[in-house]
Amino acid sequence: MKRENLPVIMCIGTDLVGGDCLGPLVGQLLIARNLPCFVYGTLYDPITALNLKDYYAFIKKNHISTVIAVDSCVGENVGRISVNSGGLLPGAAGGKDLPMVGDISVTAVTSSYPPSDKRFASVRLGFVYSLALQVADTIETLIKGVAV
């Protein structure tokens, strides 16, 4: 696969909130796996509500390939991981006005609905990390399927 056609993984979230650190954890795990893809959003350089628009503009300007957006979410089925065609709306449960991002979305429910800052912040890191490992495995499978 040509370098310019490598998939882009956009991992959204902040390491400052337990329930929202799924994206940066996934990004960090994918970097360590050295997969044939571009990864944006890690524990050291997270994509948050403050810089998401700039990151997405950079990605759209510099990459022509598929963008897989990764984010945590709130919902009834805590622990559920979903892969869907189409983008996602980061921060929607918190009332943030951010653009839809991605061509494929991967989300994991880290907290129950309705969202509260206290509940989202008090999610155990071990639980989110186990979900991040599963999401990273899922993305690795997707990438290897595309690269074949």
Side-chain angles (χ1 to χ4, degrees):
M1 182 175 284
K2 292 182 179 180
R3 183 167 168 76
E4 63 267 11
N5 293 333
L6 295 177
V8 175
I9 317 300
M10 185 177 184
C11 302
I12 303 160
T14 177
D15 61 333
L16 299 175
V17 177
D20 198 30
C21 68
L22 177 88
L25 283 170
V26 170
Q28 205 65 45
L29 290 166
L30 293 174
I31 293 280
R33 294 180 186 199
N34 199 29
L35 297 171
C37 63
F38 293 97
V39 177
Y40 296 96
T42 65
L43 290 172
Y44 300 103
D45 193 13
I47 298 175
T48 68
L50 299 176
N51 62 12
L52 181 128
K53 290 178 184 176
D54 292 336
Y55 262 104
Y56 199 52
F58 173 85
I59 288 168
K60 294 310 269 180
K61 179 181 178 186
N62 292 287
H63 299 281
I64 59 171
S65 55
T66 300
V67 176
I68 300 172
V70 178
D71 200 3
S72 59
C73 62
V74 296
E76 294 177 6
N77 299 316
V78 175
R80 181 176 181 193
I81 297 170
S82 299
V83 179
N84 296 297
S85 64
L88 58 83
L89 280 171
K96 293 196 171 38
D97 184 25
L98 296 169
M100 181 170 283
V101 295
D103 302 304
I104 297 171
S105 60
V106 181
T107 57
V109 181
T110 61
S111 183
S112 60
Y113 197 85
S116 74
D117 289 340
K118 185 176 182 182
R119 185 179 301 153
F120 211 44
S122 64
V123 174
R124 295 189 59 89
L125 180 59
F127 172 68
V128 179
Y129 186 73
S130 69
L131 287 174
L133 286 169
Q134 292 175 58
V135 169
D137 289 345
T138 300
I139 291 171
E140 183 172 3
T141 300
L142 286 171
I143 290 171
K144 288 182 176 177
V146 169
V148 173

